[in-house]
Amino acid sequence: MQLFNSRLRKALPYCLSFSVITGCFLLCLAFPYSIRTDAAHQIKTVQQWLSGESSVFNTLIVPDPNDMSQDSQIWVAWWSPGIALAYLPALSSGLSMGTAARITSYVLTIAGSWGWLTVADLLQANLLTKLSIGLILSLYAIGNSLLSAALLEGGDILPFAVVPWLISYTICLVTLLEHSDKQFYLKLLHSLLLGLLLGAVYWLKYSAFLVSIGLFVYLCINFLRVSKTSFQQKGFLSIGCGLLFVVPPLSLTALNRLLSGSTTAIDQFTTFDFNSFGVEGWQILVTAFGAFGLALFQTSDWFRAIAESSSISSLDILRSLDPTQKREAVCLFLGIPSTAIAVGLLVYFKNFYTKQVMLLGFCITVIPLTLMLYLSITVGFNFLVDPIARYAAPFIGFVQILLLYGYFQFVRPTSQISINQTYPVRFKPKLLASIAVLIICVLPSGFIAQRFWTQYNVWRQVGTTYITTRNQLYEPALSYQNVQRVVRQIDSLISSPLDVVALYMPQHPYYAGAWLELRKNRVLPLDAFGSVGAFYNQFDKFHTSQDLQVVLVASTASVSGEADFSKLAKQFPQAISWEAIKPVKQSNVFIWLGQLDGTIDG
């Protein structure tokens, strides 16, 4: 009976996490899945590869800007191929794109949540800690703007799913190193394998590799400090692990250089004008101190929500500080205070952590944030503010475990764990600690969950009818109610295999998703970003050597009048006529049909 109760207690956090995630995904079955921005570009490479449009995996086929009657093949170096690789099996199974993406996201979300619970088990966290982690990280995974049961937006679901298992493997390997009775070749084998796996994270997501670097540093420290191996054996472990660690990133870097001329997105960032966004003077210093706190809050939308909804006159200053333009304001009002609270709690609870745990936490948080600070200064774009919630996916679970473990040991110490307290546990410290944990652990996840229901319009969409194409995707860039009708209208305007659909939806998060729906057409994405944007930014006009039609599709939010249309039309100097097409009902786009004469010198 006691054994049964022990197993039940161990399984309870996993069951809680499974129930929350499964319940939310089941609820979202009531409306189509969404794929947008970063992820849509990578899914598009899979779509074109499976259909035979592209002969090389992880490439995009687009019309050549110098001759639109021909195609150009773009190797996607802006993002690592992680999303394409992870979603390929389900997408190639014959399922609709929406169903395949939803199933893969569900599996990855479960894997990540259970992975963090496994880390908590290895750290010997108590049941309350694991139950809290099971709930908080499940909400984070399904409701964060990039890890959602309702949509797939970025590749951050991959490090969320994979990194906790690598942390678990690292903890187990360090434990193995401390056992002198274990054969050396076994330690070497695991060291080589883990080094290779840590390096392979570079293929999943570039930013997650920063956490891999932290884990590698932690491993090397333990290779050198373990007293039960000779100096020669320490050298074999460190050098062998290091050599295999650098193989995956070097191979992908070489591949990127060979096929695109760029090593990573960092190279291609130079084609976009960021005007040293938030990295000058005191701005970078403020964001450096506030990044850790913002990561715990998981999103800067907290700041925006307070600024937009507050009726308190004293908070008028918040409304004037748009975090998309003055990102240092986010750190001043939210990031730095949160960092101070989190660091204060970790220091206050330090007696509850072993030195190994504290070293591991330092390596996977401080090292990645420091490297991100360096990249921000180098590139001229501040990665430490608005996107930090995305880049924190590989380590936020570990920080949450430490905070909650320390808190529960502080307010409810157990007899199994030795506590060397140098202060009495009084009501006031307990109350202050409870408020602090509520602010930086509980409230952010509550906000994320609330935003899941409101921003993604979950309740409004349940029970409504949205007519999709065979992709079974929700693509509001084309229509809020009937995307099938809009796609059919665009398809009906195509009269030749050479015809091009020019898609103009600047800053619209779903524009890349609209590209997925136009699977039968040659699509020219105007005002694009990523690898496609870096490619097209070199051109301000598009030409053709043969007669063809251009179907210009622009979102109603981006084109307001004839002047806007004229600017777009000037990009096609060989056009001899333009015809405005009457949009179908429930359409969110304007459509023009242009006739291009290939004999005209543009």
Side-chain angles (χ1 to χ4, degrees):
M1 188 65 179
Q2 186 176 1
L3 178 62
F4 175 77
N5 290 336
S6 176
R7 290 178 177 177
L8 180 62
R9 286 168 61 85
K10 186 174 182 178
L12 194 57
Y14 294 87
C15 294
L16 173 64
S17 175
F18 177 82
S19 300
V20 172
I21 294 171
T22 302
C24 289
F25 268 86
L26 287 175
L27 179 63
C28 291
L29 286 175
F31 52 90
Y33 201 62
S34 294
I35 305 175
R36 66 184 195 183
T37 53
D38 296 10
H41 284 85
Q42 296 169 82
I43 296 296
K44 185 66 181 181
T45 67
V46 179
Q47 185 187 54
Q48 291 186 335
W49 188 65
L50 291 175
S51 67
E53 285 183 72
S54 64
S55 57
V56 179
F57 188 74
N58 197 48
T59 58
L60 287 169
I61 303 299
V62 294
D64 188 330
N66 291 314
D67 183 1
M68 288 188 293
S69 64
Q70 305 296 319
D71 287 327
S72 290
Q73 185 167 265
I74 302 173
W75 172 262
V76 178
W78 186 275
W79 302 281
S80 56
I83 283 289
L85 292 170
Y87 284 75
L88 174 62
L91 290 170
S92 60
S93 67
L95 296 171
S96 69
M97 183 174 291
T99 301
R102 196 194 298 267
I103 291 174
T104 306
S105 296
Y106 172 72
V107 172
L108 291 172
T109 304
I110 292 289
S113 297
W114 283 12
W116 287 116
L117 286 171
T118 301
V119 172
D121 276 333
L122 291 173
L123 296 178
Q124 298 181 344
N126 54 32
L127 181 61
L128 283 175
T129 299
K130 290 187 287 186
L131 287 173
S132 301
I133 287 296
L135 178 60
I136 288 175
L137 290 184
S138 297
L139 294 175
Y140 168 76
I142 62 171
N144 188 279
S145 59
L146 297 163
L147 305 171
S148 175
L151 64 86
L152 174 66
E153 186 172 6
D156 305 275
I157 192 170
L158 296 177
F160 176 82
V162 172
V163 169
W165 295 102
L166 293 178
I167 294 175
S168 298
Y169 194 0
T170 302
I171 294 172
C172 291
L173 177 56
V174 170
T175 303
L176 178 66
L177 292 173
E178 295 172 348
H179 287 79
S180 59
D181 57 329
K182 300 297 182 181
Q183 296 184 358
F184 174 73
Y185 81 88
L186 185 62
K187 298 177 183 179
L188 179 61
L189 179 63
H190 282 291
S191 300
L192 294 176
L193 178 58
L194 183 54
L196 183 63
L197 292 175
L198 290 176
V201 171
Y202 193 78
W203 283 71
L204 293 182
K205 187 166 176 60
Y206 295 137
S207 60
F209 183 66
L210 302 180
V211 177
S212 281
I213 293 175
L215 281 172
F216 175 70
V217 170
Y218 173 74
L219 268 179
C220 289
I221 293 173
N222 279 279
F223 288 150
L224 297 175
R225 67 178 290 273
V226 64
S227 60
K228 298 176 181 179
T229 56
S230 66
F231 180 78
Q232 185 180 20
Q233 289 176 332
K234 292 177 181 179
F236 276 125
L237 291 172
S238 301
I239 296 173
C241 182
L243 287 175
L244 288 186
F245 175 71
V246 300
V247 167
L250 288 180
S251 61
L252 183 56
T253 298
L255 201 59
N256 287 340
R257 177 65 69 181
L258 176 66
L259 298 177
S260 72
S262 301
T263 56
T264 64
I266 300 301
D267 281 355
Q268 296 184 349
F269 258 62
T270 58
T271 64
F272 295 86
D273 182 19
F274 293 116
N275 295 317
S276 299
F277 200 40
V279 296
E280 295 180 349
W282 64 276
Q283 296 173 325
I284 193 67
L285 185 62
V286 167
T287 53
F289 283 107
F292 182 67
L294 283 181
L296 290 175
F297 267 79
Q298 306 165 20
T299 173
S300 59
D301 284 354
W302 262 90
F303 181 90
R304 189 178 292 110
I306 295 173
E308 292 176 353
S309 64
S310 175
S311 60
I312 304 174
S313 59
S314 61
L315 292 180
D316 284 344
I317 187 174
L318 297 183
R319 300 187 188 93
S320 66
L321 295 174
D322 180 2
T324 62
Q325 300 299 324
K326 299 181 179 179
R327 299 186 174 198
E328 63 275 9
V330 185
C331 277
L332 281 172
F333 288 92
L334 183 62
I336 291 179
S338 302
T339 299
I341 293 174
V343 173
L345 283 175
L346 291 172
V347 172
Y348 196 64
F349 298 151
K350 66 181 183 299
N351 292 320
F352 304 124
Y353 315 127
T354 65
K355 291 182 179 179
Q356 279 283 14
V357 170
M358 294 175 69
L359 177 61
L360 177 57
F362 177 87
C363 288
I364 65 174
T365 55
V366 176
I367 290 178
L369 290 174
T370 302
L371 293 172
M372 208 173 296
L373 175 64
Y374 169 75
L375 291 175
S376 298
I377 297 173
T378 303
V379 175
F381 181 87
N382 197 331
F383 294 104
L384 290 169
V385 185
D386 207 31
I388 189 62
R390 301 168 48 191
Y391 302 148
F395 65 78
I396 187 174
F398 193 85
V399 178
Q400 296 274 18
I401 290 171
L402 292 187
L403 288 170
L404 290 167
Y405 173 76
Y407 169 73
F408 285 120
Q409 287 301 317
F410 177 57
V411 298
R412 290 189 60 183
T414 61
S415 57
Q416 288 82 6
I417 297 179
S418 175
I419 303 175
N420 299 317
Q421 293 175 246
T422 59
Y423 48 83
V425 181
R426 299 191 181 97
F427 174 75
K428 187 175 181 180
K430 284 186 178 182
L431 178 61
L432 292 176
S434 299
I435 294 173
V437 169
L438 178 69
I439 291 174
I440 63 174
C441 290
V442 180
L443 288 182
S445 292
F447 176 77
I448 290 292
Q450 177 270 336
R451 194 177 66 151
F452 174 64
W453 306 124
T454 57
Q455 181 172 321
Y456 302 152
N457 299 319
V458 171
W459 290 119
R460 278 173 45 190
Q461 294 188 67
V462 172
T464 61
T465 300
Y466 185 84
I467 301 177
T468 68
T469 65
R470 59 179 289 184
N471 285 338
Q472 294 186 10
L473 292 173
Y474 174 66
E475 295 301 340
L478 297 176
S479 175
Y480 287 124
Q481 294 178 292
N482 192 333
V483 69
Q484 183 184 94
R485 182 181 294 165
V486 177
V487 171
R488 283 179 176 175
Q489 182 184 31
I490 295 172
D491 288 344
S492 68
L493 298 174
I494 302 297
S495 59
S496 164
L498 297 179
D499 291 349
V500 171
V501 177
L503 200 60
Y504 181 70
M505 298 178 177
Q507 309 303 319
H508 198 300
Y510 284 93
Y511 104 85
W515 191 4
L516 290 173
E517 292 289 8
L518 302 174
R519 58 185 181 83
K520 296 180 181 179
N521 312 122
R522 302 175 65 233
V523 175
L524 173 65
L526 301 174
D527 199 52
F529 68 98
S531 293
V532 176
F535 175 70
Y536 278 131
N537 279 353
Q538 309 168 58
F539 306 93
D540 56 1
K541 287 182 172 56
F542 303 96
H543 302 83
T544 178
S545 62
Q546 300 184 50
D547 295 353
L548 54 79
Q549 293 185 136
V550 171
V551 181
L552 180 57
V553 180
S555 66
T556 53
S558 60
V559 177
S560 57
E562 191 65 27
D564 291 333
F565 164 70
S566 297
K567 291 179 182 178
L568 295 175
K570 287 180 181 178
Q571 297 183 71
F572 304 94
Q574 294 170 291
I576 57 177
S577 67
W578 287 98
E579 176 188 358
I581 306 299
K582 182 180 179 181
V584 296
K585 291 182 179 180
Q586 302 167 339
S587 172
N588 289 340
V589 295
F590 295 122
I591 301 177
W592 292 270
L593 181 63
Q595 305 293 333
L596 272 63
D597 188 342
T599 62
I600 297 177
D601 186 4

